[in-house]
Amino acid sequence: MFKGKFLLTLMMMLVLSIALVACGGGDDDAPADPDTDENGEDAGEEAEGEAQADSDAPEKPESLDMWVNDEDSQLDAYEEITQRFEDEHGIEINITPFSMLDQTEAVSLDGSSGQGPDLFFQPHDRMGDIVLQGLAAELELTADQEERLSEYNEEAVTAFSYEGIQYGIPAVVETYALFYNTDLVEEAPQTLDELMEIADSLTDASADEYGFLMEATNLYFAYPFLTGAGGYIFNQDADGAYDTEDIGLDNEGAVEGAALIQSWFEDGYMPTGIDGDVMNGLFQDGKVGAVITGPWAIPDYRDALGDSLAVAMLPEWDGDQLNSFSGNKGWLVSEYSEDKYWATELALFITNAESSETYYETAGELPAHTAVEIDDEFMGPIFEQTQVAEPMPNVPEMSQVWEPVSDALQFISQGEDPQEVMEEAVEQIRDQIAIMGQ
Amino acid sequence: MAANDNQPDVKIVNERHNPTVAALLSIIPGFGQMYNKRYWKGATLFILFAAFIGVMYGFIADGLQGLITLGETPRDDDSRIFLSYGILSLIFLTFFISFYVLNIIDARKDAKRIQLGWEVPDLRQGFKNAWDTGFPYYLVAPGLFLLIFVVIFPLLFMVFLAFTNYNLYNAPPRNLLQWVGFDNFVRLFTINEWRNTFFNVLSWTLIWTFVATTLQIGLALFLAIIVNDKRVKGKRLIRTVFILPWAVPAFVTIIIFSALFNDNFGAINRDIIVPLFGSGIPWMSDPFWAKVALIMIQTWLGFPFVFALFTGVLQSISADWYEAADIDGANRWQKFSNITFPHVMFATAPLLIMQYAGNFNNFNIIYLFNQGGPPVRGQVAGGTDILISWVYGLTFENQQFNMAAAISIILGLIVVVFAFLWFRRTRSFKEEGNI
């Protein structure tokens, strides 16, 4: 392996590192110089499809490792996508199926011994944990890469930054929307008032018939209503960094939202103890006009309702489009990767418009790249909703928010005073954050 | 260090062979054995020890040093790996020290026997003796070895974690862990949020353990005695039916129960309670009723095992006892409390203690029924959270490994102490039963 070419490689490395220093994209805590001990590919590559300044790029590694979540459809999609990357750049991509949920632990334990991947795949709300554990590398994007990243969903890109520093490239975005049964609701309600009219006219609790149901005591789904009138979880600065001291869940807007949710229970539009199973069951029995849920429900709903199923964006509240909570998943470059530049290139390639389209067609997940056309009647409106969706805060402190707020919503559904309950919840969140770790 | 443990009525044959010298010589393993003229044994021991020291010295020294420092440069050193190597070193060191002590004792023992005129066996005889006396140990050794690495090692790792600052903000590999002594325990009992939650959860955990387990045992005893009565027909069928809750996987049952108990849509409220009483019981939204529901479910899930146990024991009680009691004019209650109950308790006490310990840490039912809910205003843990489900949340949702480890140690201690006291108490049945 290392016979005659070894010297040559050394020479090339020298030349390249000089080139690197010359273009001066250096940062002090991550050496941009890839100190590989492998033979580089012969640099006589043909011109790239995407006008890249390949001469400025570090030397190409022989191969890159990526961990793909172990679902067949996702693996198939990435097999196809990475094949294109190989054809284009001549870098071999090794895909290892690896459950998304176990990846961070594995990177943390195996990364230092060089057995980790170059790229791994994570939901954005784990960002804080990942950065605190020091698993993801800070991305040093070239101007050209920045350019390409600007075509992505801005919120999703921000979701992969932490304290203003970009650590990942978003791949998919998931959020929820309004699903309705056209037998009961002819046209999607445009405003909250229309939705309430539907609830009012269709609800007959004694016969288990409801106009509008949602998991109202779950913060994930209740978010648009809590924040629609000016509530917020953690205040965000211009860079997208969160200020965890500044919690806006007990301000006027949030309490207004909480009171709105309470009114649904008081008016009998929603039964207490409503949960996902009950909601899905009743909706599939054709007894509910509209529900709020995500794309994961489409297969079951379609089987149950057939052509009567339709999807729309969430309605407007006082003239403002309701946002929604989104979960993004994306690619992170491992801190232990020896070819961070090319790993970043790969991450950008597998999430670009063309790849995203392939991925959507094979794995059925909505892209974070905005240039993709989604013309599916169900996925289309959800994709539109992702454009106005707000990512869940990616700070670790968020883990302390879910339960107190969901508990608070439960108390509210039982008729307790919204103002009092929300203040209590915020206090609890503060207490919990305080004891999270000194 | 005169050997004054020579019993006066024993005749010393070899006056000049001194056990103390043998023991002192064995400070270098094998030399004492050579002094005892067991050259092969001495040589083998010496080589083994020398080899062990030669091979392991570096590893153990580094390991122990790493255990103290937990690494020096963040990123390059992973404290968790230092910790595990340190624990491994400790285990190896324990092995070494125990064998070392054994070797000294062995030299001294042999020397004393030589003093009394014992002939040193030849090599073949020596091997044979070693095989005969050591046989049980050879059998147990592989299992013991496995036990140490599969059970003891992870436990030690957890115990050590309780004394570090391993939480999300100090997580390796970015940071190094630090030893913080008893800080975590101190925080658990001094910081209000921790303390209040801990004691709330602990009190419910104890109530839950006591009530749920006692109920399932009581129900099982009652049913076992009824079914065991001579006048009951179709015993086999009845027993089969009673075993069913045990036969269905608890995971599935609990999730189904969770749906049945739903306040608005569950069959229990809908089809039973509301028609009978006019309004439903808030099983899922009121902590008290949620606890009642959990205890009922656990009783239902847990009694078949105990029932099967008791049925077996009841059949083994000799009829003579009851006949004798009848002749003495004992009534039903006296027969039960003086014959049946002691018999059953004596035979099953250890297993019943296991039932209590099992329920104390019965994570499945709490988590699957409603994740420890419903919420209680002003408390962090849910209304039905027991310690183990709370620890689960700390570990997996908040990554507070240090606190979770500290609480786990307390959990373990509680179980150990209770089990110990109970096992002690069950001896009283022994004396009573005199079996």
Side-chain angles (χ1 to χ4, degrees), chain A residues 365-388:
Chain A
E365 293 193 288
L366 292 167
H369 202 286
T370 48
V372 185
E373 289 287 319
I374 306 286
D375 51 10
D376 181 90
E377 60 170 320
F378 303 131
M379 285 305 233
I382 301 178
F383 187 54
E384 273 168 51
Q385 182 70 40
T386 64
Q387 315 291 329
V388 297

Side-chain angles (χ1 to χ4, degrees), chain A residues 116-133:
Chain A
D118 293 292
L119 271 190
F120 59 110
F121 187 66
Q122 283 294 304
H124 82 271
D125 51 331
R126 298 290 318 277
M127 278 311 299
D129 299 1
I130 291 166
V131 173
L132 282 171
Q133 291 176 54

Side-chain angles (χ1 to χ4, degrees), chain A residues 264-375:
Chain A
W264 301 337
F265 288 95
E266 280 175 350
D267 299 343
Y269 296 159
M270 279 193 205
T272 47
I274 174 81
D275 63 20
D277 293 339
V278 172
M279 179 184 86
N280 292 336
L282 292 173
F283 188 72
Q284 287 171 30
D285 291 346
K287 293 183 162 185
V288 184
V291 297
I292 290 180
T293 185
W296 53 85
I298 292 174
D300 288 346
Y301 284 9
R302 202 171 31 203
D303 293 346
L305 298 178
D307 292 343
S308 311
L309 178 69
V311 182
M313 280 179 84
L314 294 182
E316 290 177 354
W317 185 14
D318 288 343
D320 291 323
Q321 170 64 43
L322 279 173
N323 60 25
S324 57
F325 238 164
S326 70
N328 307 292
K329 287 179 281 192
W331 292 98
L332 306 174
V333 176
S334 166
E335 177 65 52
Y336 298 100
S337 166
E338 290 175 334
D339 305 287
K340 295 192 173 69
Y341 173 85
W342 283 104
T344 311
E345 271 299 309
L346 174 62
L348 282 163
F349 183 92
I350 59 181
T351 53
N352 69 19
E354 187 194 5
S355 304
S356 288
E357 199 145 345
T358 310
Y359 187 73
Y360 166 71
E361 280 158 15
T362 318
E365 293 193 288
L366 292 167
H369 202 286
T370 48
V372 185
E373 289 287 319
I374 306 286
D375 51 10

Side-chain angles (χ1 to χ4, degrees), chain B residues 343-382:
Chain B
H343 262 90
V344 169
M345 282 301 133
F346 169 68
T348 59
L351 287 161
L352 298 187
I353 294 167
M354 301 290 278
Q355 291 280 309
Y356 278 94
N359 264 343
F360 185 81
N361 284 335
N362 195 338
F363 175 79
N364 289 353
I365 185 167
I366 303 290
Y367 189 77
L368 294 172
F369 184 66
N370 58 357
Q371 281 90 43
V376 180
R377 275 182 80 164
Q379 181 185 310
V380 177

Side-chain angles (χ1 to χ4, degrees), chain B residues 105-145:
Chain B
I105 291 172
D106 170 81
R108 191 161 178 270
K109 214 172 62 190
D110 274 2
K112 277 175 91 169
R113 286 157 72 191
I114 291 169
Q115 242 188 351
L116 302 178
W118 177 66
E119 286 288 320
V120 173
D122 63 5
L123 189 60
R124 261 193 52 205
Q125 192 58 36
F127 263 121
K128 204 172 158 329
N129 288 350
W131 179 251
D132 287 346
T133 52
F135 185 70
Y137 300 103
Y138 300 134
L139 272 188
V140 169
L144 179 74
F145 204 71

Side-chain angles (χ1 to χ4, degrees), chain A residues 31-54:
Chain A
D33 185 346
D35 51 349
T36 48
D37 53 359
E38 295 163 6
N39 303 323
E41 286 283 314
D42 47 336
E45 280 284 329
E46 67 281 26
E48 300 300 339
E50 304 166 15
Q52 283 176 38
D54 226 24

